[in-house]
Amino acid sequence: MPTHDNLSKTDGTKEEKTTKEIVATTDATPASSSNDDDITVSDSQTTSDEQTTSQPESSQALAQKDDTNIQNEMDDAVAEDSEDETTLERHSIEKKDYHAMSKEELINELKSLVKTEKIQAIKEHVDEIKAEFDAKFNEESDHKKDEFLAEGGDLIDFYYSTPLKKEFNSVYFDYKEKRNAYYQNLKKDLQSNLNKRLEIIEELKGLINVDENINTTYNHFKEIQEKWRNAGPIPRDEYNTIWNTYHHHTENFYDFLHLNREFRDLDFKHNLEQKLKIIERATELAQETDINRSFRELQLLHKMWKEDLGPVEKQYREPIWEKFSELTKQIHENRQRYFKEIDKVYEKNLEEKHGIIEKIQQVASDTPSNHSGWQTKIKEIKALRDAFFKAGKVPANVNEATWDAFKSAVRAFNRDKNAFYKNLKKDQFDNLKKKMELIKIAEDNKDSEDFQATTPLMKKIQTDWKKIGHVPRKDSDRIWKRFKNACNFYFDRINAQRKEANKEEEENYEAKKAKLENLKKLKLSGTVADDLKTIKQHIEEWKSLGRVPYNKKQIEADYNKVLDGHFEQLNLTKKETELIKYENKLNALASQNDDRGLAQEQSFIRKKIDDVRGEIRQLENNLQFFKHTEDDNPMVIDVKKNITKHHETLEVWKSKLKKIKQL
């Protein structure tokens, strides 16, 4: 982009010639004034008595209105760009065809922008990406909602989200956080710069009344100009007012400089040279084929004209502004023609999308009678949906109607498809209900001890299972595993029962039976240490005898009962007694390789620990009600005793859990 330092150079001859040409070709050139120091018209204004009268009043008014709109648009663009110093970066970021992207591609594009570009430069891109993602997600959500309602769901219960939606929301949230933080800081800077510029304007106003040498005043004026150029961006809604005020007082200062025409004329000459270069560049831009680039650079030229350069000699003021305005209008018209060409492309896209919608309607009009036919139709609709998104944008004024027509066509297809599969699923759900009834029979009888009566029943339900048809695919594996596990559990028990006659287990049983009789006859000495050692020795011997037949495992309970009687005679703490007895129980489970029993025992202990902890918390909460009561209050003493008791119980359960984990 050019600046006033790198615009094409012109020598004095060319400058004079160009200026004369501009003056000669502009009907609005003011007549020479006897007092050419009287500056009354700014570069961007035209007085009513200087308007041409060659056109009828209505046509002239229409043209003026059009020119005013163009200039207002340019002023607004300059104001916005002056607040946002990333204008060039924003416009240089490639805008891709987001409409044709999938949801995954849109997320990746959003991630890339947030990660690699300045957060304040990507708003337009992010807004387009979000609009496209939301449209695609909402279309998918509508489809899922139709399926949900077709299956008998209640609309109030419908909720739909996906990992992609959550991922997009997360990235978009990061963008909003960073953007908000940026603009919070920018707002402070803009306000600070605005205050600086207001102070500079006040300083400029004071130059007219200062009592000092004109050379000193002029140097002071140049310093003010330099401070103004370096004061930084200000809020866009204040931009035009502040700049017009500054230029007004700048012109007032030039009026004041009639005391020293040399200084004023030097500035006039410099400003004219630079503005002619801007006009020359604008002339080139009017021939530029890259319309977006020419319009962006035109904004910079207007900004330079307004911000960097002061007034010129009065005889050139209106002619050069009119020339620049005419070039601005020409570039704007080029841009309008460019947009009309784009509109033609959008119209072509619209025709293509209408054709796709018609094809969707045709596919939907022929309803298959079987699963295979519907699967073919589903693939056809998917291909048409993809083609719809790849067809490109349509004119903005028909975008919503086109989108609604597309969704309506797809939804009509989905309704018929859902109706077919709803009937198909009804049969599958009936089958599911029948198989669940068989599962209940199997699970209710898997622990039965009456093998003679139960075995024929279990064989019959296995036969019945095979006769029932398909169930919903999502349930198939799950219910089969439940049924198979219940049946296997029962028949494994039968096999185990048949092996209970195993000679080794019978021998173990006889040995344990004799050992139990000896334990019943055991007389304790009364010395706790010796008696405890004796009991533990009995326990170790019992463990070494191995497992007994399944149908004779009651001997383990009998043994524990006798063992409990001996423990009661020992003067042990509750915890010690409990742990010794519990260790014996665990040994019994471990000796039988009863993994399921061990798992159930561990789950039971964990629940007891949670229960005791809950009771302790409740008691401690109750104690808060007595915080203003004396410690010797009977109720306080009772609550504290209960807390201590529960803590002791908790330690016992925790010790049991530790022991079972060590197995």
Side-chain angles (χ1 to χ4, degrees):
M1 296 297 180
T3 66
H4 63 272
D5 293 327
N6 63 13
L7 286 167
S8 57
K9 301 296 183 181
T10 57
D11 56 26
T13 303
K14 184 176 181 181
E15 173 194 324
E16 182 178 358
K17 179 181 178 182
T18 306
T19 305
K20 289 179 180 179
E21 288 175 350
I22 293 172
V23 174
T25 56
T26 307
D27 294 334
T29 305
S32 299
S33 171
S34 58
N35 181 10
D36 59 359
D37 297 331
D38 182 18
I39 302 174
T40 58
V41 182
S42 72
D43 289 344
S44 59
Q45 295 174 325
T46 305
T47 57
S48 61
D49 62 340
E50 292 172 339
Q51 302 299 324
T52 60
T53 58
S54 59
Q55 299 179 7
E57 184 175 353
S58 60
S59 299
Q60 182 177 0
L62 188 62
Q64 286 179 339
K65 183 177 181 181
D66 186 47
D67 291 346
T68 300
N69 289 339
I70 293 173
Q71 189 56 48
N72 287 341
E73 179 184 344
M74 189 60 60
D75 288 343
D76 290 342
V78 171
E80 179 182 357
D81 290 349
S82 295
E83 178 182 270
D84 183 0
E85 295 179 338
T86 64
T87 301
L88 297 182
E89 296 175 31
R90 182 174 73 244
H91 291 304
S92 65
I93 300 174
E94 178 187 4
K95 243 184 200 180
K96 301 179 181 178
D97 187 359
Y98 302 128
H99 184 70
M101 290 185 177
S102 66
K103 294 190 292 296
E104 292 86 347
E105 290 170 334
L106 289 171
I107 291 174
N108 291 334
E109 187 65 22
L110 180 59
K111 284 181 179 178
S112 176
L113 287 172
V114 174
K115 182 178 180 180
T116 61
E117 303 292 349
K118 291 187 176 178
I119 206 70
Q120 67 273 23
I122 60 176
K123 182 180 185 301
E124 292 180 6
H125 301 71
V126 173
D127 288 348
E128 283 194 33
I129 289 173
K130 186 176 189 305
E132 292 296 341
F133 185 92
D134 287 346
K136 289 179 171 62
F137 176 79
N138 290 337
E139 190 261 343
E140 180 182 296
S141 178
D142 288 343
H143 170 60
K144 295 297 182 182
K145 180 169 65 177
D146 289 342
E147 288 186 343
F148 177 77
L149 296 177
E151 293 177 358
D154 192 336
L155 181 60
I156 196 173
D157 297 324
F158 178 75
Y159 173 77
Y160 181 68
S161 185
T162 65
L164 280 178
K165 175 64 172 172
K166 293 176 181 177
E167 184 179 6
F168 180 87
N169 289 346
S170 176
V171 180
Y172 185 74
F173 178 79
D174 289 344
Y175 159 75
K176 295 291 287 185
E177 288 273 287
K178 292 178 181 179
R179 182 175 171 82
N180 289 341
Y182 169 80
Y183 278 108
Q184 285 177 0
N185 293 330
L186 177 63
K187 185 177 180 180
K188 296 177 184 177
D189 294 339
L190 293 176
Q191 188 59 44
S192 175
N193 295 339
L194 175 61
N195 294 336
K196 290 179 186 176
R197 290 190 183 275
L198 291 172
E199 292 173 0
I200 293 172
I201 289 173
E202 290 301 316
E203 187 177 355
L204 177 60
K205 289 163 61 176
L207 288 182
I208 296 177
N209 300 319
V210 70
D211 184 16
E212 62 184 6
N213 180 275
I214 192 65
N215 292 341
T216 303
T217 302
Y218 181 74
N219 290 333
H220 191 178
F221 172 68
K222 302 305 286 185
E223 291 173 0
I224 288 176
Q225 285 185 311
E226 184 63 23
K227 284 197 291 185
W228 183 265
R229 279 191 287 269
N230 297 324
I234 61 175
R236 68 183 69 174
D237 56 347
E238 300 280 357
Y239 177 82
N240 287 315
T241 301
I242 292 298
W243 275 99
N244 289 337
T245 303
Y246 173 73
H247 284 305
H248 169 74
H249 290 294
T250 299
E251 291 179 351
N252 284 346
F253 178 74
Y254 278 109
D255 285 345
F256 173 70
L257 277 185
H258 71 275
L259 297 176
N260 191 322
R261 297 175 60 89
E262 180 183 355
F263 287 135
R264 187 192 66 175
D265 291 345
L266 283 174
D267 271 3
F268 279 173
K269 183 175 184 297
H270 168 76
N271 294 336
L272 178 61
E273 291 173 353
Q274 297 305 315
K275 287 187 175 181
L276 289 175
K277 292 176 182 177
I278 288 177
I279 290 174
E280 184 177 344
R281 181 56 185 158
T283 304
E284 295 172 356
L285 292 179
Q287 310 303 319
E288 174 66 59
T289 56
D290 187 339
I291 301 301
N292 287 328
R293 178 178 178 276
S294 65
F295 188 73
R296 292 196 300 268
E297 190 168 337
L298 179 64
Q299 290 176 227
L300 292 181
L301 294 180
H302 272 267
K303 184 177 180 181
M304 290 163 55
W305 188 289
K306 191 167 192 174
E307 295 185 11
D308 296 346
L309 302 174
V312 300
E313 191 175 347
K314 186 175 182 181
Q315 63 176 319
Y316 300 130
R317 191 165 302 145
E318 286 303 327
I320 65 172
W321 174 249
E322 291 295 334
K323 182 64 176 177
F324 189 39
S325 296
E326 182 61 31
L327 290 167
T328 296
K329 182 177 180 182
Q330 184 177 342
I331 295 172
H332 187 272
E333 290 173 349
N334 292 344
R335 190 165 180 253
Q336 293 303 108
R337 283 194 295 273
Y338 168 75
F339 285 131
K340 287 181 180 179
E341 291 300 318
I342 291 181
D343 286 342
K344 291 179 182 178
V345 175
Y346 288 173
E347 288 291 344
K348 186 176 180 181
N349 295 343
L350 179 62
E351 291 181 12
E352 184 177 353
K353 287 197 169 184
H354 280 163
I356 293 172
I357 292 171
E358 289 178 4
K359 289 180 181 178
I360 292 175
Q361 291 170 339
Q362 291 172 2
V363 172
S365 65
D366 179 20
T367 55
S369 59
N370 54 55
H371 170 71
S372 176
W374 276 106
Q375 289 302 304
T376 300
K377 293 283 186 181
I378 290 171
K379 291 178 181 178
E380 291 178 21
I381 293 295
K382 182 181 184 305
L384 289 170
R385 287 180 71 256
D386 293 342
F388 181 87
F389 289 124
K390 292 178 181 177
K393 295 183 179 180
V394 300
N397 62 327
V398 295
N399 181 60
E400 186 173 349
T402 307
W403 181 247
D404 288 342
F406 167 73
K407 289 195 294 183
S408 177
V410 173
R411 182 169 289 179
F413 170 80
N414 286 334
R415 278 197 296 267
D416 291 339
K417 179 200 68 175
N418 292 339
F420 170 80
Y421 281 104
K422 181 180 180 181
N423 292 330
L424 189 63
K425 286 181 179 178
K426 183 178 183 301
D427 293 338
Q428 293 180 344
F429 279 120
D430 289 342
N431 294 337
L432 176 62
K433 183 178 179 181
K434 294 175 183 178
K435 288 193 173 183
M436 290 302 297
E437 290 173 353
L438 296 183
I439 288 174
K440 186 175 188 309
I441 294 173
E443 291 180 341
D444 286 348
N445 289 275
K446 67 185 180 68
D447 293 311
S448 174
E449 297 291 340
D450 188 353
F451 296 118
Q452 186 175 2
T454 305
T455 300
L457 174 64
M458 296 296 280
K459 289 181 178 181
K460 180 180 183 304
I461 63 175
Q462 287 181 321
T463 301
D464 292 343
W465 182 278
K466 296 176 182 179
K467 294 178 181 179
I468 299 174
H470 294 292
V471 300
R473 182 178 299 178
K474 65 183 179 67
D475 300 306
S476 180
D477 289 343
R478 176 178 60 83
I479 64 171
W480 167 243
K481 287 179 181 178
R482 280 186 62 184
F483 183 71
K484 182 178 70 172
N485 289 342
C487 291
N488 287 348
F489 182 82
Y490 173 77
F491 287 108
D492 285 346
R493 287 180 56 238
I494 291 181
N495 292 332
Q497 189 270 341
R498 291 170 181 169
K499 295 177 182 179
E500 284 174 1
N502 182 280
K503 182 178 179 181
E504 182 180 350
E505 292 182 351
E506 287 291 342
E507 290 174 353
N508 292 342
Y509 173 73
E510 293 299 328
K512 285 193 172 184
K513 186 177 179 182
K515 190 67 178 175
L516 179 59
E517 291 301 320
N518 290 335
L519 185 61
K520 289 179 180 178
K521 299 174 182 178
L522 178 65
K523 300 295 183 181
L524 299 180
S525 65
T527 303
V528 174
D530 293 337
D531 292 338
L532 182 58
K533 183 177 180 181
T534 300
I535 291 174
K536 285 185 175 182
Q537 184 177 351
H538 272 276
I539 293 173
E540 289 299 320
E541 291 173 358
W542 182 271
K543 285 166 53 180
S544 67
L545 294 177
R547 62 185 299 174
V548 299
Y550 186 86
N551 61 349
K552 298 178 179 179
K553 63 179 183 178
Q554 178 61 35
I555 194 171
E556 299 290 346
D558 296 338
Y559 172 77
N560 285 327
K561 184 176 181 180
V562 174
L563 200 61
D564 288 344
H566 288 308
F567 274 123
E568 289 176 0
Q569 300 178 47
L570 301 180
N571 187 20
L572 298 176
T573 64
K574 180 180 178 181
K575 180 178 180 181
E576 289 173 332
T577 303
E578 283 289 325
L579 291 180
I580 293 173
K581 289 162 60 178
Y582 187 69
E583 185 173 348
N584 183 53
K585 179 180 180 180
L586 290 182
N587 289 333
L589 289 172
S591 66
Q592 297 178 26
N593 295 321
D594 190 356
D595 293 338
R596 183 180 179 187
L598 288 171
Q600 289 177 341
E601 181 66 13
Q602 186 171 358
S603 177
F604 171 76
I605 294 174
R606 290 184 184 277
K607 184 178 183 305
K608 296 300 292 185
I609 290 174
D610 290 339
D611 291 344
V612 175
R613 282 175 173 164
E615 291 172 3
I616 291 173
R617 282 195 297 270
Q618 184 61 49
L619 288 170
E620 289 175 344
N621 288 337
N622 294 344
L623 200 58
Q624 294 299 314
F625 294 109
F626 302 98
K627 60 183 178 180
H628 299 301
T629 307
E630 296 296 331
D631 290 341
D632 58 355
N633 183 286
M635 295 184 70
V636 174
I637 294 172
D638 186 55
V639 172
K640 288 183 176 180
K641 283 182 178 179
N642 275 337
I643 291 175
T644 301
K645 180 180 177 182
H646 279 83
H647 273 294
E648 292 173 354
T649 303
L650 178 62
E651 288 304 314
V652 172
W653 285 116
K654 288 167 71 175
S655 297
K656 288 182 177 181
L657 181 61
K658 184 176 180 181
K659 281 185 175 295
I660 198 171
K661 285 182 176 181
Q662 291 173 347
L663 291 179

